[in-house]
């Protein structure tokens, strides 16, 4: 669409556009207007006015042409300058408005970005807050659930405790009834045992008196019978080798089984202490390890033989260093004797093999066979061990056996008061040509181990035997100056002076 002015136009003021330069102009579109159609009179009036105005305009225009011709040259340049200034002003204004519009658009964009960012942050905070509320709600629900479970568990536990308390109360009542019944039965049993014990003690006292009388009446001990017993135990050792050790060694599966028990039992001997309660605990542990082996007779016998050897080995090594160690070892040995009757066969054979003096057996050691019978060992150089080593070793074995003779009222086999008496009497009756320092070493160890118990057991009758031991018997070989004989005499003199025997250290509770 093009817009323009008439080529000639008259201004009533007589001035032109040059005199009034345009500084600000806007072009607005002209829309159609709906007007009321003019009447005939209106048209006539309008026509008249238009003619008058046209004529007036034409006259004015003629006058203006005359004036303008005078100033045309200067006016043209002025108009041009004014038009240039107007165009520049319009351009500047337009550019300024464009710049303002761009700034406004940029501001709007930034504001929109800010709004979006704030909206996103608000949405993020809302989501975080919602997540936090959900988490708090979950934690609350979890706490409530845990509290519910805790209360339920407490209720259940309280119910169990109530039931358990009722059960224990019921058991306590039943136990009390049983205990009362047991006490009544125990009292009756103890009364019967006391009566039986009194009867046996009377018979035992009578028997001891008869044995003492028999020993006193006999000038010598029946060493031929003792020798037969010695060879019987010697044969027992051979039978154990052929009937127990060899068959098991030939069976790899059984050998593997017994090695498992062996590895568990062997450390127990080193765990023995001077505490009675601890020793009983270790003894029970060994007992519990032996019980499973009873399902196989060969394994059971092999284990019993192994334990017997271990007890003797412990006596040979530890007791010579710590004599009081004989007490816990004796407790363990006698505990197993009472629990396993078959154990006596293996243990007694081992004791007699390593220390035949216990039986009252002695023989010359001038020959190879003699030393073997009396339990001598060869060292690494294949030479016989020296006398001191031998005396200490068999002395440790004799100490353990001596303690066992007075350890339990069970009085099993050679582990009894009677055997203790026979041991002393038979050594005193031994041919003096066979007496060596070893015999006095064993008697001195026996004296320290059970001399006091022996004296209490046999009373006045024991004093005769003990006086003979530290007196006449020592004097009989005084010329040989046995070191152990001097030790035995000193022990006897201390007993006669103080009226008591200072024995081995007692065990603790």
């Amino acid at each position: 669409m093009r817009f323009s002015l008439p080529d000639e136009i008259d201004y009533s003021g007589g001035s032109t556009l040059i005199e009034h330069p345009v500084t600000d102009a806007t072009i607005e579109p002209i829309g159609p207007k709906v007007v009321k159609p003019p009447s005939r009179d209106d048209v006539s009036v309008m026509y008249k006015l238009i003619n008058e105005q046209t004529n007036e305009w034409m006259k004015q225009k003629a006058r203006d042409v005359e004036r303008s011709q005078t100033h045309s040259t200067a006016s043209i340049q002025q108009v041009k300058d004014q038009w240039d200034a107007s165009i520049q002003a319009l351009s500047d204004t337009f550019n300024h408005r464009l710049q303002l519009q761009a700034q406004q658009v940029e501001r709007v964009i930034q504001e929109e970005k800010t709004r979006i960012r704030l909206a996103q942050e608000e949405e993020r905070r809302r989501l975080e807050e919602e997540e936090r509320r959900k988490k708090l709600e979950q934690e609350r629900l979890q706490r409530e659930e845990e509290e519910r479970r805790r209360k339920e568990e407490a209720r259940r536990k309280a119910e169990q405790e109530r039931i358990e308390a009722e059960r224990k109360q019921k058991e306590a009542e039943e136990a009390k009834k049983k205990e009362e019944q047991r006490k009544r039965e125990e009292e009756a049993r103890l009364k019967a045992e006391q009566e039986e014990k009194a009867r046996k003690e009377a018979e035992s006292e009578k028997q001891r008196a008869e044995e003492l009388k028999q020993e006193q009446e006999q000038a010598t001990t029946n060493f031929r019978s003792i020798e037969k017993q010695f060879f019987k135990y010697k044969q027992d050792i051979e039978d154990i080798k052929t009937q127990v050790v060899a068959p098991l060694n030939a069976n790899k599966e059984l050998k593997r089984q017994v090695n498992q028990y062996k590895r568990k039992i062997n450390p127990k001997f080193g765990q023995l202490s001077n505490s009675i309660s601890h020793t009983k605990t270790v003894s029970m542990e060994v007992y519990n390890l032996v019980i499973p082996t009873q399902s196989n007779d060969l394994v059971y016998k092999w284990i019993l033989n192994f334990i017997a050897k271990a007890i003797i080995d412990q006596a040979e090594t530890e007791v010579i260093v710590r004599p009081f160690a004989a007490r816990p070892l004796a407790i363990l040995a006698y505990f197993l004797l009472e629990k396993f009757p078959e154990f006596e066969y293996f243990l007694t054979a081992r004791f007699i093999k390593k220390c035949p003096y216990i039986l009252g057996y002695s023989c010359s050691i001038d020959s190879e066979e003699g030393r073997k019978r009396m339990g001598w060992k060869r060292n690494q150089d294949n030479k016989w061990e020296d006398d001191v080593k031998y005396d200490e070793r068999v002395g440790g074995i004799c100490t353990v056996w001596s303690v066992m003779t007075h350890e339990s009222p069970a009085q099993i086999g050679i582990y009894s008061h009677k055997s203790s008496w026979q041991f002393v009497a038979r050594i005193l009756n031994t041919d003096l040509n066979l007496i060596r320092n070893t015999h006095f070493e064993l008697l001195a160890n026996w004296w320290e181990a059970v001399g006091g118990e022996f004296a209490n057991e046999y009373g006045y009758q024991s004093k005769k035997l003990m006086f003979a031991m530290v007196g006449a018997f020592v004097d009989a070989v005084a010329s040989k100056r046995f070191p152990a004989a001097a030790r035995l005499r000193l022990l006897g003199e201390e007993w006669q002076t103080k009226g008591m025997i200072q024995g081995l250290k007692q065990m603790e509770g």
Side-chain angles (χ1 to χ4, degrees), residues 49-288:
L49 289 174
I50 289 173
N51 286 329
E52 291 177 356
Q53 184 67 30
T54 302
N55 293 329
E56 181 63 27
W57 180 81
M58 290 178 65
K59 292 177 181 180
Q60 183 65 35
K61 187 65 175 175
R63 291 191 296 268
D64 289 340
V65 169
E66 292 178 358
R67 286 193 299 269
S68 63
Q69 287 178 352
T70 307
H71 303 287
S72 61
T73 303
S75 297
I76 290 172
Q77 185 63 39
Q78 184 179 2
V79 170
K80 183 179 180 182
D81 292 341
Q82 289 177 351
W83 276 104
D84 289 342
S86 298
I87 292 173
Q88 183 63 41
L90 287 172
S91 177
D92 292 343
T93 301
F94 183 76
N95 290 335
H96 178 68
R97 287 178 176 269
L98 285 178
Q99 185 177 4
L100 290 176
Q101 187 177 14
Q103 291 176 353
Q104 291 175 353
V105 170
E106 181 66 22
R107 184 170 60 254
V108 169
I109 292 173
Q110 293 300 326
E111 290 175 352
E112 183 65 17
K113 288 183 177 179
T114 301
R115 185 190 66 77
I116 294 173
R117 179 177 57 79
L118 293 175
Q120 290 176 342
E121 291 180 356
E122 180 65 22
E123 179 66 13
R124 178 180 57 80
R125 286 194 295 269
R126 186 187 67 78
L127 293 176
E128 290 178 352
E129 180 64 20
E130 184 177 350
E131 182 67 22
R132 185 183 66 83
R133 287 197 300 270
K134 287 183 179 179
K135 186 176 180 181
L136 291 175
E137 180 66 14
Q138 289 177 352
E139 291 177 353
R140 183 185 66 79
L141 293 175
Q142 185 176 0
R143 287 195 301 271
E144 291 178 354
E145 178 64 17
E146 290 177 354
E147 181 66 16
R148 185 191 65 76
R149 286 200 299 266
R150 186 186 65 78
K151 290 181 179 179
E152 179 65 20
E153 180 65 19
R155 185 193 64 76
R156 186 182 61 79
K157 186 176 181 181
E159 181 66 15
Q160 288 180 346
E161 290 177 352
R162 183 186 65 78
I163 296 173
E164 183 67 15
E166 292 178 355
R167 183 185 64 80
K168 288 183 178 180
Q169 182 179 2
K170 184 176 180 181
E171 290 179 352
E173 293 175 354
E174 293 178 354
K176 183 178 180 181
K177 293 179 181 179
K178 291 181 180 180
E179 181 64 18
E180 291 175 353
Q181 179 65 22
R182 187 192 65 78
K183 286 182 178 179
R184 289 193 295 268
E185 294 175 354
E186 183 68 14
E187 290 174 357
R189 185 185 65 79
L190 290 175
K191 184 176 179 181
E193 287 182 355
Q194 289 175 353
E195 293 176 355
E196 180 66 16
K197 183 178 180 181
R199 183 184 66 78
K200 288 183 177 180
E201 286 179 351
E203 293 178 355
S204 178
E205 184 65 28
K206 181 178 179 181
Q207 182 180 356
R208 285 198 296 269
E210 292 176 354
E211 290 174 354
L212 180 60
K213 181 178 179 181
Q214 183 178 1
E215 290 283 352
Q216 291 173 341
E217 289 175 353
Q218 292 180 353
T220 59
T221 300
N222 188 352
F223 288 103
R224 187 175 297 278
S225 175
I226 293 173
E227 186 177 39
K228 289 182 180 180
Q229 291 180 5
F230 171 75
F231 282 113
K232 181 265 180 189
Y233 290 117
K234 188 176 177 65
Q235 183 58 45
D236 288 343
I237 293 294
E238 295 301 320
D239 292 343
I240 292 171
K241 290 180 180 179
T242 58
Q243 299 175 16
V244 177
V245 178
L248 191 135
N249 288 339
N251 190 322
K252 292 183 179 180
E253 178 60 25
L254 291 182
K255 184 67 174 178
R256 185 184 61 81
Q257 293 181 21
V258 298
N259 282 338
Q260 293 178 355
Y261 291 108
K262 177 181 176 181
R263 285 192 295 270
K264 293 179 181 179
I265 294 174
N266 198 44
K268 301 300 179 183
F269 299 99
Q271 296 173 7
L272 295 172
S273 68
N274 202 37
S275 167
I276 294 177
S277 60
H278 179 70
T279 299
K280 289 182 178 180
T281 299
V282 174
S283 300
M284 183 57 68
E285 290 174 352
V286 175
Y287 168 77
N288 290 331

Side-chain angles (χ1 to χ4, degrees), residues 389-439:
K389 178 65 176 178
Y390 173 77
D391 288 351
E392 289 178 345
R393 189 167 53 77
V394 296
I397 298 172
C398 182
T399 301
V400 175
W401 168 81
S402 299
V403 175
M404 291 180 67
T405 62
H406 291 268
E407 173 57 32
S408 171
Q411 299 292 286
I412 300 173
I414 66 170
Y415 315 99
S416 62
H417 303 152
K418 177 182 177 181
S419 297
S420 186
W421 178 285
Q422 290 176 341
F423 164 72
V424 176
R426 289 173 179 178
I427 288 183
L428 297 185
N429 287 332
T430 299
D431 185 349
L432 293 180
N433 292 323
L434 298 176
I435 295 297
R436 304 180 68 258
N437 185 73
T438 307
H439 293 83

Side-chain angles (χ1 to χ4, degrees), residues 248-499:
L248 191 135
N249 288 339
N251 190 322
K252 292 183 179 180
E253 178 60 25
L254 291 182
K255 184 67 174 178
R256 185 184 61 81
Q257 293 181 21
V258 298
N259 282 338
Q260 293 178 355
Y261 291 108
K262 177 181 176 181
R263 285 192 295 270
K264 293 179 181 179
I265 294 174
N266 198 44
K268 301 300 179 183
F269 299 99
Q271 296 173 7
L272 295 172
S273 68
N274 202 37
S275 167
I276 294 177
S277 60
H278 179 70
T279 299
K280 289 182 178 180
T281 299
V282 174
S283 300
M284 183 57 68
E285 290 174 352
V286 175
Y287 168 77
N288 290 331
L289 289 170
V290 174
I291 286 295
T293 66
Q294 290 182 319
S295 60
N296 187 301
D297 187 61
L298 184 59
V299 173
Y300 175 55
K301 290 180 179 179
W302 193 96
I303 287 295
L304 293 180
N305 181 58
F306 164 72
I307 294 175
K309 292 176 65 176
I311 289 174
I312 301 301
D313 291 342
Q314 195 78 357
E316 285 183 313
T317 56
E318 186 173 3
V319 175
I320 62 176
V321 179
R322 299 187 305 127
F324 61 82
R327 291 196 183 281
L329 192 60
I331 290 176
L332 170 63
Y334 222 111
F335 176 82
L336 296 176
L337 281 174
E338 293 178 325
K339 295 295 183 181
F340 305 108
E342 302 87 350
F343 184 52
E344 181 190 359
Y345 171 78
F346 298 94
L347 184 61
T348 302
R350 288 290 163 190
F351 264 117
I352 301 304
K353 175 187 177 182
K354 292 300 185 86
C355 186
Y357 304 93
I358 291 173
L359 194 63
Y361 179 80
S362 296
C363 71
S364 173
I365 59 172
D366 294 340
S367 64
E368 180 89 5
E369 178 61 25
R371 286 186 179 260
K372 288 182 178 180
R373 288 185 184 182
M374 298 311 296
W376 284 74
K377 290 183 177 181
R378 292 185 179 275
N379 55 31
Q380 295 179 350
D381 298 331
N382 202 31
K383 295 181 180 179
W384 293 113
E385 60 187 326
D386 58 53
D387 293 354
V388 175
K389 178 65 176 178
Y390 173 77
D391 288 351
E392 289 178 345
R393 189 167 53 77
V394 296
I397 298 172
C398 182
T399 301
V400 175
W401 168 81
S402 299
V403 175
M404 291 180 67
T405 62
H406 291 268
E407 173 57 32
S408 171
Q411 299 292 286
I412 300 173
I414 66 170
Y415 315 99
S416 62
H417 303 152
K418 177 182 177 181
S419 297
S420 186
W421 178 285
Q422 290 176 341
F423 164 72
V424 176
R426 289 173 179 178
I427 288 183
L428 297 185
N429 287 332
T430 299
D431 185 349
L432 293 180
N433 292 323
L434 298 176
I435 295 297
R436 304 180 68 258
N437 185 73
T438 307
H439 293 83
F440 290 99
E441 182 77 19
L442 302 184
L443 289 174
N445 285 6
W446 172 89
W447 184 285
E448 291 181 332
V450 295
E453 288 89 341
F454 182 80
N456 293 333
E457 179 66 28
Y458 288 101
Y460 177 75
Q461 298 295 336
S462 66
K463 293 183 179 180
K464 295 181 181 180
L465 189 64
M466 296 174 75
F467 272 121
M469 184 194 315
V470 300
F473 185 60
V474 174
D475 293 338
V477 291
S479 61
K480 296 184 179 181
R481 300 183 179 278
F482 293 130
R487 174 188 167 208
L488 181 61
R489 184 185 290 280
L490 290 175
L491 291 173
E493 291 175 352
E494 182 183 23
W495 170 53
Q496 296 175 44
T497 301
K498 297 181 179 181

